[in-house]
Amino acid sequence: MKTSKAQQDQTRARIVRTAVTLMTERGYDAVTMKDIAWAASVGDATIYKYFPSKERLVLGYFDLVATEAVATTQATPGFADYALQDRLQRLTDAILERLAPERAFVLQARALLARAPLLLLGDQLQAKQILQQQVQADLEHAVASGEIAPSDFLRVVSGLYGDYAIGVVSWWLHDPSPGAADTPRLVDQTLGILVAALKSGLPDRLVQLALF
């Protein structure tokens, strides 16, 4: 019987959550795809239909995090009326809130990505695309409301948000302040600078100067 997309999404999420549990308990290198398939109640061949490798399964975790963070952001009461900085900050906060209970696993995943940085290139990390779409919608909302002016640079900003989020997560993982309190301050300051620059039209003026 053919499974629906909703059923496939549920199976994919179950595999990811099972992998997180096992890898947190045993470590990344000690867990096999067969271990994950058995614990997730899927066939040994079936798991490879969802994730062709253990590395891609780890990336699938971040895809799931991004999807859930976007859904949480969009469901925030009053979100439709948020200003641009508040919208971007809510999304960033939602990512960290989603990662926080699984910090030990995120540290393992970060170590893996440090050993194999090419995993972050190309279209392998769908999380970047998911976040880009949300940020692009936020920027379009800001343009429509008159908060910022239309600009070709906005597409660049939305495309770079995924890398910004990776940087924030890396900072958060190594934030020595009590309760990682410095991370929210970093997010507030950096997003404040970005939004102020967009409101002033500075990026477009810099591009025009470079072309001149």
Side-chain angles (χ1 to χ4, degrees):
M1 183 175 67
K2 185 176 181 179
T3 57
S4 67
K5 184 179 183 304
Q7 290 173 317
Q8 292 174 358
D9 289 344
Q10 290 174 357
T11 300
R12 183 177 292 106
R14 186 171 75 252
I15 292 171
V16 168
R17 293 190 179 105
T18 300
V20 169
T21 298
L22 293 179
M23 291 179 188
T24 301
E25 293 174 350
R26 307 178 193 174
Y28 173 83
D29 292 328
V31 176
T32 67
M33 290 289 276
K34 186 178 182 68
D35 294 333
I36 299 167
W38 184 86
S41 300
V42 299
D44 291 350
T46 300
I47 192 172
Y48 287 99
K49 294 180 180 179
Y50 289 91
F51 301 103
S53 67
K54 196 164 60 166
E55 291 83 0
R56 188 63 191 82
L57 200 162
V58 171
L59 294 184
Y61 167 75
F62 292 106
D63 298 341
L64 181 63
V65 167
T67 298
E68 294 179 348
V70 167
T72 297
T73 299
Q74 294 175 347
T76 301
F79 181 73
D81 299 322
Y82 275 23
L84 178 57
Q85 182 173 344
D86 294 331
R87 294 171 77 97
L88 297 176
Q89 191 149 356
R90 181 67 193 102
L91 176 60
T92 310
D93 289 346
I95 294 170
L96 294 175
E97 290 164 5
R98 174 61 182 78
L99 293 175
E102 296 159 348
R103 186 186 183 103
F105 172 79
V106 179
L107 279 167
Q108 291 190 54
R110 185 70 185 86
L112 168 66
L113 297 177
R115 296 200 309 263
L118 292 181
L119 289 172
L120 295 174
L121 299 180
D123 61 355
Q124 294 196 75
L125 192 58
Q126 296 174 13
K128 285 187 176 182
Q129 299 173 26
I130 295 167
L131 296 173
Q132 178 179 357
Q133 291 172 3
Q134 178 60 42
V135 173
Q136 183 64 36
D138 292 338
L139 293 169
E140 291 171 357
H141 177 273
V143 170
S145 67
E147 186 179 0
I148 61 175
S151 168
D152 292 337
F153 188 76
L154 298 182
R155 186 168 295 278
V156 176
V157 173
S158 64
L160 290 175
Y161 178 82
D163 294 312
Y164 169 78
I166 291 172
V168 168
V169 170
S170 295
W171 175 281
W172 166 72
L173 287 171
H174 300 94
D175 186 347
S177 62
D182 284 346
T183 300
R185 286 194 283 270
L186 171 73
V187 171
D188 179 63
Q189 292 170 2
T190 53
L191 291 180
I193 292 170
L194 170 64
V195 172
L198 292 176
K199 287 181 177 180
S200 70
L202 178 61
D204 283 325
R205 291 203 291 272
L206 290 176
V207 170
Q208 291 169 3
L209 181 62
L211 292 176
F212 179 78

